Amino acid sequence: MTGMTDAPLDPDALADRLAEVYLLVGPLYRRVLRAVEQNETVEGVSVGVRAVLDLLHRTGPMTVPQMGRAQSLSRQFVQRMVNDAAAGGLVETVDNPAHRRSRLIRLTAAGRERIAAVAAREHGLLRQVPGDLTGPEVDACLRVLDRMLAALDDVDVN
């Protein structure tokens, strides 16, 4: 890897290196979307519904606004995906003890089964990633992407 040192980069050098990250993240994201879309007929879930199911699987029941904030998606888009998932019997709404008017969305048994099948298939695909990546390298990648995302916290997604 080029330029690996222990010293933090100055802001200009960091900006140049982060631009390289964006150049990779865009095509990676679009290819992942295409892969999910291509398997929609097999798994029966769109990219948006898959994202809702995965989030609920990882975090437990949430409100639509909470899901929107967590995924940097508009509340309206998340609501449409929740409606699609509910129509397929994958999620259900339940009372929210913390807020009377904002109901919680949770996975049904069918939703848990569906996202488990999707995750298992994706795990198999991710096992095919070539290379000799180490835990610390993946940790560093996650740290960089987290910082890049945090720098855009003020961007309105609604």
Side-chain angles (χ1 to χ4, degrees):
M1 296 194 184
T2 60
M4 295 268 302
T5 69
D6 290 338
L9 296 172
D10 70 73
D12 288 325
L14 178 61
D16 289 342
R17 295 306 311 270
L18 293 179
E20 293 178 54
V21 174
Y22 279 121
L23 290 174
L24 289 173
V25 168
L28 173 63
Y29 178 74
R30 288 185 290 279
R31 286 183 188 184
V32 167
L33 285 179
R34 289 292 300 140
V36 173
E37 289 168 351
Q38 289 169 356
N39 286 299
E40 183 177 345
T41 55
V42 174
E43 295 162 345
V45 294
S46 68
V47 173
V49 170
R50 184 242 177 267
V52 164
L53 298 179
D54 185 60
L55 183 61
L56 294 174
H57 175 72
R58 291 175 188 271
T59 65
M62 297 178 81
T63 66
V64 168
Q66 288 171 333
M67 284 188 270
R69 284 189 298 276
Q71 295 181 319
S72 297
L73 295 169
S74 75
R75 186 192 59 74
Q76 293 82 3
F77 177 78
V78 173
Q79 185 65 63
R80 285 195 310 272
M81 296 305 102
V82 166
N83 292 347
D84 290 351
L90 303 174
V91 299
E92 61 189 358
T93 58
V94 295
D95 289 335
N96 182 353
H99 195 280
R100 280 179 131 168
R101 291 178 36 209
S102 187
R103 305 214 0 141
L104 290 171
I105 311 302
R106 75 175 176 198
L107 291 173
T108 62
R112 285 189 296 277
E113 288 175 18
R114 183 74 54 88
I115 195 60
V118 169
R121 185 191 61 78
E122 291 172 355
H123 181 82
L125 293 172
L126 291 171
R127 285 180 49 87
Q128 298 173 29
V129 171
D132 54 352
L133 298 175
T134 65
E137 288 173 323
V138 174
D139 290 343
C141 176
L142 292 171
R143 180 173 176 260
V144 168
L145 293 174
D146 183 64
R147 294 279 176 97
M148 291 173 74
L149 184 59
L152 299 171
D153 274 349
D154 62 337
V155 174
D156 184 16
V157 296
N158 285 308

